Coordinates of all heavy atoms in Angstrom, one line a residue:
Chain A
R11 N -27.6 -23.9 5.8 CA -28.8 -24.6 5.4 C -29.9 -24.2 6.3 O -31.1 -23.8 5.9 CB -28.6 -26.0 5.5 CG -29.6 -26.9 4.5 CD -29.5 -26.7 3.1 NE -29.5 -25.2 2.7 CZ -28.6 -24.7 1.9 NH1 -27.7 -25.5 1.3 NH2 -28.6 -23.4 1.6
L15 N -27.4 -17.0 4.5 CA -26.1 -16.4 4.5 C -26.2 -15.0 5.1 O -27.2 -14.3 4.8 CB -25.5 -16.5 3.2 CG -23.9 -16.4 3.1 CD1 -23.3 -17.4 4.0 CD2 -23.5 -16.5 1.7
T47 N -21.0 -22.8 0.3 CA -21.9 -22.2 -0.7 C -21.2 -21.9 -2.0 O -19.9 -22.3 -2.1 CB -22.4 -20.8 -0.2 OG1 -23.3 -20.3 -1.2 CG2 -21.5 -19.9 0.1
G50 N -20.8 -17.4 -6.2 CA -21.9 -16.3 -6.6 C -22.8 -15.8 -5.4 O -23.1 -14.7 -5.4
A51 N -22.9 -16.7 -4.5 CA -23.9 -16.5 -3.3 C -23.3 -15.2 -2.6 O -24.1 -14.3 -2.1 CB -24.0 -17.5 -2.4
W54 N -24.1 -11.6 -3.3 CA -25.4 -11.0 -3.0 C -25.3 -10.1 -1.7 O -26.1 -9.1 -1.6 CB -26.4 -12.0 -2.7 CG -27.8 -11.6 -2.4 CD1 -28.4 -11.2 -1.1 CD2 -28.8 -11.2 -3.3 NE1 -29.5 -10.8 -1.2 CE2 -29.9 -10.7 -2.5 CE3 -28.9 -11.0 -4.7 CZ2 -31.1 -10.1 -3.1 CZ3 -30.0 -10.6 -5.3 CH2 -31.1 -10.2 -4.6
H55 N -24.3 -10.4 -0.9 CA -24.2 -9.6 0.3 C -23.0 -8.6 0.3 O -22.9 -7.8 1.2 CB -24.0 -10.6 1.5 CG -25.0 -11.6 1.6 ND1 -26.1 -11.5 2.3 CD2 -25.2 -13.0 1.1 CE1 -26.9 -12.5 2.3 NE2 -26.3 -13.5 1.4
Chain D
dA1 P -37.1 -9.2 -3.5 OP1 -38.3 -9.2 -4.0 OP2 -36.4 -8.4 -4.1 O5' -36.3 -9.5 -2.3 C5' -36.9 -9.8 -1.1 C4' -36.2 -11.1 -0.5 O4' -36.4 -12.3 -1.4 C3' -34.7 -11.0 -0.5 O3' -34.2 -11.6 0.7 C2' -34.2 -11.8 -1.7 C1' -35.3 -12.7 -1.9 N9 -35.5 -13.2 -3.2 C8 -35.7 -12.5 -4.3 N7 -35.9 -13.3 -5.4 C5 -35.8 -14.6 -5.0 C6 -35.9 -15.8 -5.5 N6 -36.2 -15.9 -6.9 N1 -35.8 -16.9 -4.9 C2 -35.6 -16.8 -3.5 N3 -35.5 -15.8 -2.8 C4 -35.7 -14.6 -3.6
dC2 P -32.7 -11.5 1.3 OP1 -32.7 -11.8 2.6 OP2 -32.2 -10.2 0.7 O5' -32.0 -12.6 0.5 C5' -32.2 -13.9 1.1 C4' -31.7 -15.0 0.2 O4' -32.4 -14.8 -1.1 C3' -30.1 -15.1 -0.1 O3' -29.8 -16.1 0.6 C2' -30.2 -15.3 -1.6 C1' -31.7 -15.6 -2.0 N1 -31.9 -15.2 -3.3 C2 -32.2 -16.2 -4.3 O2 -32.1 -17.4 -4.0 N3 -32.5 -15.8 -5.7 C4 -32.6 -14.6 -6.0 N4 -32.8 -14.3 -7.3 C5 -32.3 -13.5 -5.1 C6 -32.0 -13.9 -3.8
dC3 P -28.2 -16.4 0.6 OP1 -27.9 -17.1 2.0 OP2 -27.5 -15.3 0.1 O5' -28.2 -17.6 -0.4 C5' -28.9 -18.8 -0.2 C4' -28.8 -19.8 -1.4 O4' -29.3 -18.9 -2.5 C3' -27.5 -20.3 -1.8 O3' -27.5 -21.5 -1.7 C2' -27.3 -19.7 -3.3 C1' -28.7 -19.4 -3.7 N1 -28.8 -18.3 -4.7 C2 -29.1 -18.6 -6.0 O2 -29.1 -19.9 -6.3 N3 -29.3 -17.7 -7.0 C4 -29.1 -16.3 -6.7 N4 -29.3 -15.4 -7.5 C5 -28.8 -15.9 -5.2 C6 -28.7 -17.0 -4.4
dT4 P -26.1 -22.5 -1.9 OP1 -26.2 -23.7 -1.1 OP2 -25.1 -21.5 -1.6 O5' -26.1 -22.7 -3.4 C5' -27.1 -23.7 -4.0 C4' -26.9 -23.8 -5.4 O4' -27.0 -22.6 -6.2 C3' -25.4 -24.1 -5.8 O3' -25.3 -25.5 -6.4 C2' -25.0 -23.1 -6.9 C1' -26.2 -22.5 -7.3 N1 -26.2 -21.1 -7.7 C2 -26.5 -20.8 -9.1 O2 -26.8 -21.6 -9.9 N3 -26.5 -19.4 -9.3 C4 -26.2 -18.3 -8.5 O4 -26.2 -17.2 -8.7 C5 -25.9 -18.7 -7.1 C7 -25.5 -17.7 -6.0 C6 -25.9 -20.1 -6.8
dG5 P -24.0 -26.3 -6.3 OP1 -24.5 -27.8 -6.1 OP2 -23.1 -25.8 -5.2 O5' -23.5 -26.1 -7.7 C5' -24.2 -26.0 -8.7 C4' -23.5 -25.4 -10.0 O4' -23.7 -24.0 -10.0 C3' -22.0 -25.7 -10.0 O3' -21.6 -25.9 -11.3 C2' -21.5 -24.4 -9.4 C1' -22.4 -23.4 -10.1 N9 -22.5 -22.0 -9.6 C8 -22.0 -21.7 -8.2 N7 -22.0 -20.4 -8.0 C5 -22.8 -20.0 -9.1 C6 -23.1 -18.6 -9.5 O6 -23.0 -17.6 -8.8 N1 -23.7 -18.6 -10.8 C2 -23.8 -19.7 -11.6 N2 -24.4 -19.3 -12.8 N3 -23.4 -20.8 -11.4 C4 -22.9 -20.9 -10.2
dA6 P -20.6 -27.1 -11.7 OP1 -21.3 -28.3 -11.3 OP2 -19.2 -26.8 -11.2 O5' -20.8 -26.9 -13.2 C5' -22.0 -26.6 -13.9 C4' -21.9 -25.6 -14.9 O4' -21.9 -24.3 -14.0 C3' -20.7 -25.6 -15.8 O3' -21.1 -25.3 -17.0 C2' -19.9 -24.4 -15.1 C1' -20.8 -23.5 -14.6 N9 -20.5 -22.6 -13.4 C8 -19.7 -22.9 -12.5 N7 -19.6 -21.9 -11.6 C5 -20.0 -20.9 -12.3 C6 -20.1 -19.5 -11.8 N6 -19.6 -19.0 -10.7 N1 -20.7 -18.5 -12.7 C2 -21.2 -19.1 -13.9 N3 -21.2 -20.4 -14.3 C4 -20.6 -21.2 -13.4
dA7 P -20.1 -25.1 -18.3 OP1 -20.8 -25.6 -19.5 OP2 -18.8 -25.9 -17.8 O5' -19.8 -23.6 -18.5 C5' -20.9 -22.8 -18.6 C4' -20.4 -21.3 -18.9 O4' -20.1 -20.7 -17.6 C3' -19.1 -21.3 -19.7 O3' -19.4 -20.2 -20.6 C2' -18.0 -21.0 -18.8 C1' -18.8 -20.2 -17.6 N9 -18.2 -20.2 -16.3 C8 -17.6 -21.3 -15.7 N7 -17.2 -21.1 -14.5 C5 -17.4 -19.8 -14.3 C6 -17.2 -18.9 -13.2 N6 -16.5 -19.3 -12.1 N1 -17.5 -17.6 -13.4 C2 -18.1 -17.2 -14.5 N3 -18.4 -18.0 -15.5 C4 -18.0 -19.3 -15.4

Side-chain angles (χ1 to χ4, degrees):
Chain A
R11 204 62 315 128
L15 205 53
T47 178
W54 183 263
H55 305 273

